[in-house]
Amino acid sequence: MTKQENAAPGLVVLWVTADKEAALNMALMYAKNSRLKGWWDEVHLVVWGPSAKLLATDAELQAEVAACREAGVTLLACRACAERYGVADDLKRLGLDVLYMGEPMTGYLKDGWKTLSV
Protein backbone atom coordinates (compact mmCIF):
# COMPACT_ATOMS: atom_id res chain seq x y z
CA MET A 1 0.00 0.00 0.00
CA THR A 2 1.41 3.41 -0.92
CA LYS A 3 0.88 6.56 1.06
CA GLN A 4 -1.01 9.28 -0.74
CA GLU A 5 0.04 12.91 -0.43
CA ASN A 6 -3.33 13.94 1.03
CA ALA A 7 -3.64 10.98 3.38
CA ALA A 8 -5.36 11.42 6.73
CA PRO A 9 -3.11 12.21 9.69
CA GLY A 10 -4.05 8.93 11.31
CA LEU A 11 -6.74 6.60 12.55
CA VAL A 12 -8.91 6.82 15.65
CA VAL A 13 -10.50 3.55 16.76
CA LEU A 14 -13.40 4.62 18.93
CA TRP A 15 -14.25 1.64 21.17
CA VAL A 16 -17.66 2.23 22.74
CA THR A 17 -19.28 -1.19 23.01
CA ALA A 18 -19.44 -3.50 26.02
CA ASP A 19 -19.37 -6.42 23.57
CA LYS A 20 -16.17 -8.33 24.33
CA GLU A 21 -16.20 -10.23 21.02
CA ALA A 22 -16.41 -7.00 19.03
CA ALA A 23 -13.57 -5.57 21.09
CA LEU A 24 -11.29 -8.57 20.60
CA ASN A 25 -12.14 -9.38 17.01
CA MET A 26 -12.44 -5.89 15.59
CA ALA A 27 -11.42 -2.83 17.64
CA LEU A 28 -8.28 -4.18 19.31
CA MET A 29 -7.25 -6.51 16.50
CA TYR A 30 -7.49 -3.78 13.87
CA ALA A 31 -5.81 -1.12 16.02
CA LYS A 32 -2.86 -3.38 16.81
CA ASN A 33 -2.42 -4.72 13.28
CA SER A 34 -2.74 -1.23 11.80
CA ARG A 35 0.49 -0.31 13.59
CA LEU A 36 2.28 -3.65 13.22
CA LYS A 37 1.63 -3.81 9.49
CA GLY A 38 2.13 -0.09 8.86
CA TRP A 39 -1.36 0.52 7.52
CA TRP A 40 -1.47 3.78 9.50
CA ASP A 41 1.40 5.86 10.80
CA GLU A 42 -0.59 6.91 13.85
CA VAL A 43 -3.35 4.95 15.58
CA HIS A 44 -5.23 6.15 18.65
CA LEU A 45 -7.54 3.82 20.55
CA VAL A 46 -10.22 5.73 22.47
CA VAL A 47 -12.07 3.84 25.22
CA TRP A 48 -15.41 5.58 25.61
CA GLY A 49 -18.64 4.61 27.36
CA PRO A 50 -19.34 1.01 28.40
CA SER A 51 -15.99 -0.19 27.06
CA ALA A 52 -14.32 1.58 30.01
CA LYS A 53 -16.03 -0.65 32.56
CA LEU A 54 -15.45 -3.77 30.46
CA LEU A 55 -11.74 -3.06 30.07
CA ALA A 56 -11.28 -2.33 33.78
CA THR A 57 -12.67 -5.75 34.72
CA ASP A 58 -11.45 -8.12 31.97
CA ALA A 59 -7.88 -9.52 32.07
CA GLU A 60 -7.99 -10.81 28.49
CA LEU A 61 -8.92 -7.39 27.14
CA GLN A 62 -6.29 -5.78 29.34
CA ALA A 63 -3.65 -8.05 27.77
CA GLU A 64 -4.82 -7.11 24.28
CA VAL A 65 -4.70 -3.41 25.12
CA ALA A 66 -1.15 -3.90 26.42
CA ALA A 67 -0.27 -5.54 23.08
CA CYS A 68 -1.73 -2.52 21.29
CA ARG A 69 0.49 -0.24 23.39
CA GLU A 70 3.54 -2.37 22.55
CA ALA A 71 2.66 -2.07 18.86
CA GLY A 72 2.67 1.73 19.13
CA VAL A 73 -1.03 2.48 19.52
CA THR A 74 -1.79 5.58 21.62
CA LEU A 75 -4.25 4.61 24.39
CA LEU A 76 -6.85 7.11 25.56
CA ALA A 77 -9.99 6.92 27.68
CA CYS A 78 -12.86 9.32 28.24
CA ARG A 79 -12.53 10.71 31.78
CA ALA A 80 -16.24 11.50 32.12
CA CYS A 81 -17.18 7.92 31.23
CA ALA A 82 -14.46 6.38 33.38
CA GLU A 83 -15.57 8.46 36.37
CA ARG A 84 -19.23 7.48 35.86
CA TYR A 85 -18.21 3.82 35.98
CA GLY A 86 -15.76 4.38 38.82
CA VAL A 87 -12.83 3.01 36.82
CA ALA A 88 -10.66 6.08 36.06
CA ASP A 89 -7.84 4.95 38.34
CA ASP A 90 -8.01 1.40 36.97
CA LEU A 91 -7.61 2.65 33.40
CA LYS A 92 -4.71 4.88 34.41
CA ARG A 93 -3.00 1.86 35.99
CA LEU A 94 -3.43 0.04 32.67
CA GLY A 95 -1.47 2.81 30.96
CA LEU A 96 -4.28 4.77 29.35
CA ASP A 97 -4.33 8.55 29.29
CA VAL A 98 -7.67 9.35 30.94
CA LEU A 99 -8.93 12.74 29.80
CA TYR A 100 -12.06 14.52 28.74
CA MET A 101 -12.38 13.43 25.11
CA GLY A 102 -14.98 15.80 23.66
CA GLU A 103 -12.48 18.41 22.50
CA PRO A 104 -9.78 15.95 21.34
CA MET A 105 -12.35 13.91 19.40
CA THR A 106 -13.67 17.06 17.76
CA GLY A 107 -10.09 17.93 16.79
CA TYR A 108 -9.55 14.51 15.23
CA LEU A 109 -12.69 14.92 13.14
CA LYS A 110 -11.91 18.47 12.06
CA ASP A 111 -8.29 17.60 11.24
CA GLY A 112 -9.28 14.77 8.90
CA TRP A 113 -8.41 11.73 10.99
CA LYS A 114 -10.22 8.60 9.86
CA THR A 115 -12.52 7.24 12.54
CA LEU A 116 -13.64 3.69 13.05
CA SER A 117 -16.25 3.07 15.74
CA VAL A 118 -16.99 -0.24 17.42
Side-chain angles (χ1 to χ4, degrees):
M1 184 181 304
T2 60
K3 192 169 183 179
Q4 299 173 357
E5 281 185 35
N6 294 326
L11 172 70
V12 175
V13 177
L14 183 59
W15 173 20
V16 299
T17 183
D19 182 334
K20 180 177 177 175
E21 293 300 312
L24 286 172
N25 295 310
M26 198 288 151
L28 300 176
M29 182 189 312
Y30 187 73
K32 179 177 68 179
N33 284 320
S34 289
R35 286 299 303 128
L36 290 175
K37 298 179 184 292
W39 298 334
W40 294 94
D41 292 335
E42 255 189 279
V43 178
H44 293 192
L45 175 69
V46 178
V47 177
W48 196 318
S51 60
K53 183 177 179 183
L54 180 64
L55 177 59
T57 60
D58 190 291
E60 184 179 13
L61 291 172
Q62 292 169 9
E64 286 300 313
V65 166
C68 285
R69 184 188 335 53
E70 291 171 16
V73 175
T74 299
L75 304 175
L76 306 165
C78 172
R79 176 176 292 283
C81 300
E83 288 175 351
R84 283 186 186 143
Y85 290 111
V87 298
D89 289 337
D90 297 321
L91 297 180
K92 287 178 188 176
R93 278 191 291 276
L94 294 171
L96 283 79
D97 288 330
V98 181
L99 42 114
Y100 295 107
M101 286 303 304
E103 190 173 333
M105 191 67 208
T106 300
Y108 292 138
L109 294 169
K110 288 183 174 184
D111 291 343
W113 286 64
K114 298 298 181 188
T115 305
L116 180 64
S117 181
V118 180

